[in-house]
Amino acid sequence: KRVYKTTYYPTVPPSDSDIQVVSKETDYLDTLAYKYYGDPTLYWIIANVNNLGKGRMSVPAGITLRIPTKINQIVDKFNRLNS
């Protein structure tokens, strides 16, 4: 029997250390996560803070994206919420 569990994402308030980038036509969440975090599986951080729909990896061109830099804190909160 399969059991599905809800995934909870932490609220990530804006920080002075956040990076702001304007998206290009060729941008995808996983490639941005790899570029800024060195880990494409952290795409959900960028998606979450920018209110980008779940299940989509492409990013609309020309929007300003917030890229949080305190990823260790974010991942720790995520793990606590979902343990």
Side-chain angles (χ1 to χ4, degrees):
K1 183 176 182 179
R2 285 188 185 196
V3 177
Y4 293 96
K5 210 170 117 181
T6 302
T7 301
Y8 298 98
Y9 296 95
T11 301
V12 182
S15 171
D16 290 340
S17 66
D18 290 348
I19 299 167
Q20 304 285 326
V21 297
V22 176
S23 62
K24 298 179 285 193
E25 223 174 274
T26 57
D27 283 337
Y28 287 87
L29 292 171
D30 56 343
T31 56
L32 289 169
Y34 182 74
K35 178 178 180 179
Y36 292 100
Y37 305 144
D39 185 347
T41 66
L42 296 176
Y43 72 89
W44 58 268
I45 295 173
I46 299 168
N48 187 39
V49 300
N50 291 287
N51 296 315
L52 298 173
K54 306 288 186 268
R56 96 184 255 179
M57 294 301 272
S58 62
V59 178
I63 63 170
T64 301
L65 296 171
R66 178 167 70 102
I67 312 289
T69 57
K70 298 178 180 179
I71 59 168
N72 290 336
Q73 293 173 355
I74 297 167
V75 171
D76 287 345
K77 284 182 191 177
F78 176 85
N79 289 335
R80 281 195 306 273
L81 286 171
N82 293 286
S83 61

